[in-house]
Amino acid sequence: MALTATIFKAAVDISDIRRHYYRQHRLTLARHPSETDERMMLRLLAFALFANEELHFSRGLSNDDEPDLWQKSLSGEIELWIELGQPSEKRLKRALGLSKHVVILNYGGQEVQNWQQQFAATIQRESKLTVLSFSPQQSRALAELAQRNLSCQFTFDESSIWVSSQDSTIELQPLWQTEVFLPESSH
């Protein structure tokens, strides 16, 4: 018998001072049986970081041809491809070839450093690539906020991300490996 996805409901309040985006979203996240709370919460964070009416979760882990999140134009072009983890060279090239901008949220400790060293030239060369890295402590703290029915607030300023839930507040300070990419917000 195949395992099914676990459904999480999230009421998300976003206050993004950097790009003047202030909205509430009600989201449904399907956590694949092989996905951890850490990875699922990073997907939610990725949504909050780049939130806009056209940004959507894809089929993610259940489909190798799609990113974790993406934003498409009305004509079907991929405007934003968001990937979690450390994509292979083949996957990174595919993402860069298919979309106008690629964002990678790196997490996982030593694996992050190894990936960054391997792709240092690509990261510096590609103007349409943004890489953010989270320490293991930050991503684990985010994972601890996971609940089946989650209500949380994301507040973004120039250097920090504040995530508040019913029980706690954490501060995240990702390392931006490249220039910060801020998509236009639709008002």
Side-chain angles (χ1 to χ4, degrees), residues 3 8 15 19 21 35 91 102 104 114 117 126-127 129 132 135 137 153 159 179 181 183:
L3 297 174
F8 286 75
S15 297
R19 60 188 183 111
Y21 185 90
E35 185 175 38
R91 188 161 176 85
V102 175
I104 298 172
N114 295 341
Q117 288 174 352
E126 285 292 339
S127 62
L129 175 62
L132 293 89
S135 72
Q137 296 82 5
Q153 162 100 31
S159 61
E179 186 176 323
F181 169 72

mmCIF file of all heavy atoms in Angstrom, residues 3 8 15 19 21 35 91 102 104 114 117 126-127 129 132 135 137 153 159 179 181 183:
data_model
loop_
_atom_site.group_PDB
_atom_site.id
_atom_site.type_symbol
_atom_site.label_atom_id
_atom_site.label_comp_id
_atom_site.label_asym_id
_atom_site.label_seq_id
_atom_site.Cartn_x
_atom_site.Cartn_y
_atom_site.Cartn_z
ATOM 1 N N LEU A 3 2.051 5.047 0.576
ATOM 2 C CA LEU A 3 1.817 6.086 1.568
ATOM 3 C C LEU A 3 1.276 7.326 0.874
ATOM 4 O O LEU A 3 1.653 7.629 -0.253
ATOM 5 C CB LEU A 3 3.114 6.422 2.296
ATOM 6 C CG LEU A 3 3.746 5.300 3.107
ATOM 7 C CD1 LEU A 3 5.094 5.741 3.646
ATOM 8 C CD2 LEU A 3 2.833 4.884 4.250
ATOM 9 N N PHE A 8 -1.287 19.795 5.433
ATOM 10 C CA PHE A 8 -1.099 20.850 6.416
ATOM 11 C C PHE A 8 -1.834 22.090 5.917
ATOM 12 O O PHE A 8 -1.772 22.413 4.735
ATOM 13 C CB PHE A 8 0.391 21.190 6.579
ATOM 14 C CG PHE A 8 1.175 20.159 7.330
ATOM 15 C CD1 PHE A 8 1.518 18.957 6.734
ATOM 16 C CD2 PHE A 8 1.574 20.395 8.633
ATOM 17 C CE1 PHE A 8 2.245 18.001 7.422
ATOM 18 C CE2 PHE A 8 2.305 19.442 9.333
ATOM 19 C CZ PHE A 8 2.636 18.241 8.731
ATOM 20 N N SER A 15 4.463 40.301 6.172
ATOM 21 C CA SER A 15 4.809 41.722 6.218
ATOM 22 C C SER A 15 6.227 41.841 5.672
ATOM 23 O O SER A 15 7.195 41.592 6.388
ATOM 24 C CB SER A 15 4.764 42.258 7.651
ATOM 25 O OG SER A 15 3.462 42.174 8.170
ATOM 26 N N ARG A 19 9.873 44.901 0.119
ATOM 27 C CA ARG A 19 9.169 45.136 -1.149
ATOM 28 C C ARG A 19 7.723 45.610 -0.969
ATOM 29 O O ARG A 19 6.932 45.575 -1.902
ATOM 30 C CB ARG A 19 9.250 43.904 -2.052
ATOM 31 C CG ARG A 19 8.663 42.662 -1.488
ATOM 32 C CD ARG A 19 8.977 41.457 -2.379
ATOM 33 N NE ARG A 19 8.340 40.287 -1.837
ATOM 34 C CZ ARG A 19 7.322 39.646 -2.398
ATOM 35 N NH1 ARG A 19 6.866 40.024 -3.560
ATOM 36 N NH2 ARG A 19 6.795 38.609 -1.812
ATOM 37 N N TYR A 21 5.091 44.434 0.643
ATOM 38 C CA TYR A 21 4.081 43.403 0.399
ATOM 39 C C TYR A 21 3.487 43.021 1.748
ATOM 40 O O TYR A 21 4.195 42.523 2.629
ATOM 41 C CB TYR A 21 4.728 42.176 -0.270
ATOM 42 C CG TYR A 21 3.740 41.100 -0.668
ATOM 43 C CD1 TYR A 21 3.143 41.117 -1.920
ATOM 44 C CD2 TYR A 21 3.415 40.069 0.207
ATOM 45 C CE1 TYR A 21 2.242 40.126 -2.298
ATOM 46 C CE2 TYR A 21 2.522 39.074 -0.161
ATOM 47 C CZ TYR A 21 1.945 39.114 -1.406
ATOM 48 O OH TYR A 21 1.050 38.136 -1.786
ATOM 49 N N GLU A 35 9.138 13.638 2.784
ATOM 50 C CA GLU A 35 9.536 15.006 3.127
ATOM 51 C C GLU A 35 9.523 15.209 4.640
ATOM 52 O O GLU A 35 8.626 14.753 5.327
ATOM 53 C CB GLU A 35 8.586 16.009 2.453
ATOM 54 C CG GLU A 35 8.988 17.446 2.640
ATOM 55 C CD GLU A 35 8.109 18.412 1.871
ATOM 56 O OE1 GLU A 35 6.882 18.192 1.796
ATOM 57 O OE2 GLU A 35 8.661 19.394 1.354
ATOM 58 N N ARG A 91 20.131 19.579 -13.219
ATOM 59 C CA ARG A 91 18.881 20.230 -12.796
ATOM 60 C C ARG A 91 19.034 21.750 -12.761
ATOM 61 O O ARG A 91 18.133 22.482 -13.161
ATOM 62 C CB ARG A 91 18.459 19.693 -11.432
ATOM 63 C CG ARG A 91 17.090 20.171 -11.005
ATOM 64 C CD ARG A 91 16.540 19.279 -9.915
ATOM 65 N NE ARG A 91 15.277 19.764 -9.422
ATOM 66 C CZ ARG A 91 14.088 19.504 -9.960
ATOM 67 N NH1 ARG A 91 14.006 18.756 -11.036
ATOM 68 N NH2 ARG A 91 12.981 19.989 -9.435
ATOM 69 N N VAL A 102 16.015 32.002 -11.127
ATOM 70 C CA VAL A 102 16.064 30.798 -10.301
ATOM 71 C C VAL A 102 16.521 31.194 -8.901
ATOM 72 O O VAL A 102 17.483 31.944 -8.747
ATOM 73 C CB VAL A 102 17.050 29.754 -10.892
ATOM 74 C CG1 VAL A 102 17.184 28.551 -9.969
ATOM 75 C CG2 VAL A 102 16.610 29.327 -12.290
ATOM 76 N N ILE A 104 17.507 29.383 -5.170
ATOM 77 C CA ILE A 104 17.797 28.136 -4.465
ATOM 78 C C ILE A 104 17.895 28.448 -2.983
ATOM 79 O O ILE A 104 18.645 29.335 -2.581
ATOM 80 C CB ILE A 104 19.100 27.496 -4.966
ATOM 81 C CG1 ILE A 104 18.946 27.141 -6.447
ATOM 82 C CG2 ILE A 104 19.451 26.262 -4.133
ATOM 83 C CD1 ILE A 104 20.212 26.681 -7.105
ATOM 84 N N ASN A 114 29.694 22.103 0.534
ATOM 85 C CA ASN A 114 30.215 21.324 -0.594
ATOM 86 C C ASN A 114 29.561 21.754 -1.903
ATOM 87 O O ASN A 114 30.235 21.911 -2.924
ATOM 88 C CB ASN A 114 29.998 19.828 -0.366
ATOM 89 C CG ASN A 114 30.786 19.296 0.811
ATOM 90 O OD1 ASN A 114 31.751 19.910 1.254
ATOM 91 N ND2 ASN A 114 30.359 18.155 1.332
ATOM 92 N N GLN A 117 30.833 25.214 -3.019
ATOM 93 C CA GLN A 117 32.177 25.145 -3.588
ATOM 94 C C GLN A 117 32.138 24.591 -5.007
ATOM 95 O O GLN A 117 32.808 25.094 -5.895
ATOM 96 C CB GLN A 117 33.094 24.290 -2.708
ATOM 97 C CG GLN A 117 33.457 24.969 -1.410
ATOM 98 C CD GLN A 117 34.236 24.053 -0.476
ATOM 99 O OE1 GLN A 117 34.383 22.860 -0.719
ATOM 100 N NE2 GLN A 117 34.739 24.636 0.606
ATOM 101 N N GLU A 126 26.058 33.641 -13.049
ATOM 102 C CA GLU A 126 24.651 33.691 -13.467
ATOM 103 C C GLU A 126 23.901 34.833 -12.798
ATOM 104 O O GLU A 126 23.601 34.775 -11.607
ATOM 105 C CB GLU A 126 23.951 32.365 -13.159
ATOM 106 C CG GLU A 126 24.304 31.241 -14.087
ATOM 107 C CD GLU A 126 23.778 31.448 -15.496
ATOM 108 O OE1 GLU A 126 22.836 32.233 -15.721
ATOM 109 O OE2 GLU A 126 24.327 30.791 -16.401
ATOM 110 N N SER A 127 23.550 35.844 -13.561
ATOM 111 C CA SER A 127 22.835 36.994 -12.996
ATOM 112 C C SER A 127 21.391 36.658 -12.650
ATOM 113 O O SER A 127 20.772 37.357 -11.860
ATOM 114 C CB SER A 127 22.878 38.172 -13.971
ATOM 115 O OG SER A 127 22.227 37.832 -15.172
ATOM 116 N N LEU A 129 20.422 33.949 -11.099
ATOM 117 C CA LEU A 129 20.444 32.943 -10.050
ATOM 118 C C LEU A 129 20.648 33.617 -8.693
ATOM 119 O O LEU A 129 21.569 34.404 -8.516
ATOM 120 C CB LEU A 129 21.584 31.943 -10.302
ATOM 121 C CG LEU A 129 21.839 30.886 -9.232
ATOM 122 C CD1 LEU A 129 20.626 29.973 -9.060
ATOM 123 C CD2 LEU A 129 23.076 30.073 -9.592
ATOM 124 N N LEU A 132 20.266 31.387 -1.393
ATOM 125 C CA LEU A 132 20.182 31.702 0.031
ATOM 126 C C LEU A 132 20.573 30.451 0.795
ATOM 127 O O LEU A 132 20.137 29.360 0.443
ATOM 128 C CB LEU A 132 18.749 32.012 0.458
ATOM 129 C CG LEU A 132 18.049 33.231 -0.025
ATOM 130 C CD1 LEU A 132 17.335 32.961 -1.303
ATOM 131 C CD2 LEU A 132 17.062 33.632 1.034
ATOM 132 N N SER A 135 21.564 27.941 7.994
ATOM 133 C CA SER A 135 22.331 27.040 8.858
ATOM 134 C C SER A 135 21.411 25.924 9.340
ATOM 135 O O SER A 135 20.188 26.082 9.383
ATOM 136 C CB SER A 135 22.899 27.801 10.048
ATOM 137 O OG SER A 135 21.856 28.133 10.950
ATOM 138 N N GLN A 137 20.905 25.033 12.327
ATOM 139 C CA GLN A 137 20.168 25.513 13.502
ATOM 140 C C GLN A 137 18.934 26.309 13.081
ATOM 141 O O GLN A 137 17.866 26.195 13.690
ATOM 142 C CB GLN A 137 21.074 26.390 14.393
ATOM 143 C CG GLN A 137 22.247 25.663 14.990
ATOM 144 C CD GLN A 137 23.451 25.537 14.032
ATOM 145 O OE1 GLN A 137 23.457 26.070 12.926
ATOM 146 N NE2 GLN A 137 24.456 24.800 14.470
ATOM 147 N N GLN A 153 3.202 34.277 11.251
ATOM 148 C CA GLN A 153 3.493 35.606 10.716
ATOM 149 C C GLN A 153 4.938 35.609 10.240
ATOM 150 O O GLN A 153 5.835 35.196 10.968
ATOM 151 C CB GLN A 153 3.308 36.651 11.819
ATOM 152 C CG GLN A 153 3.970 37.980 11.568
ATOM 153 C CD GLN A 153 3.000 39.016 11.079
ATOM 154 O OE1 GLN A 153 1.844 38.983 11.429
ATOM 155 N NE2 GLN A 153 3.468 39.923 10.263
ATOM 156 N N SER A 159 17.715 42.553 6.637
ATOM 157 C CA SER A 159 18.692 41.519 6.955
ATOM 158 C C SER A 159 18.125 40.308 7.694
ATOM 159 O O SER A 159 18.791 39.290 7.778
ATOM 160 C CB SER A 159 19.824 42.115 7.799
ATOM 161 O OG SER A 159 19.303 42.619 9.016
ATOM 162 N N GLU A 179 23.266 38.635 -5.248
ATOM 163 C CA GLU A 179 22.419 39.808 -5.050
ATOM 164 C C GLU A 179 20.995 39.368 -4.727
ATOM 165 O O GLU A 179 20.475 38.411 -5.297
ATOM 166 C CB GLU A 179 22.420 40.653 -6.330
ATOM 167 C CG GLU A 179 21.694 41.963 -6.183
ATOM 168 C CD GLU A 179 21.809 42.816 -7.436
ATOM 169 O OE1 GLU A 179 22.869 42.801 -8.070
ATOM 170 O OE2 GLU A 179 20.818 43.467 -7.767
ATOM 171 N N PHE A 181 17.277 38.948 -4.866
ATOM 172 C CA PHE A 181 16.262 39.054 -5.908
ATOM 173 C C PHE A 181 14.923 39.309 -5.234
ATOM 174 O O PHE A 181 14.493 38.538 -4.388
ATOM 175 C CB PHE A 181 16.186 37.756 -6.724
ATOM 176 C CG PHE A 181 15.000 37.693 -7.636
ATOM 177 C CD1 PHE A 181 14.942 38.485 -8.775
ATOM 178 C CD2 PHE A 181 13.932 36.862 -7.358
ATOM 179 C CE1 PHE A 181 13.849 38.433 -9.623
ATOM 180 C CE2 PHE A 181 12.827 36.800 -8.198
ATOM 181 C CZ PHE A 181 12.801 37.592 -9.334
ATOM 182 N N PRO A 183 11.092 39.960 -6.358
ATOM 183 C CA PRO A 183 10.119 40.097 -7.443
ATOM 184 C C PRO A 183 9.171 41.251 -7.161
ATOM 185 O O PRO A 183 8.992 41.670 -6.025
ATOM 186 C CB PRO A 183 9.386 38.761 -7.421
ATOM 187 C CG PRO A 183 9.516 38.275 -6.029
ATOM 188 C CD PRO A 183 10.842 38.792 -5.534
#
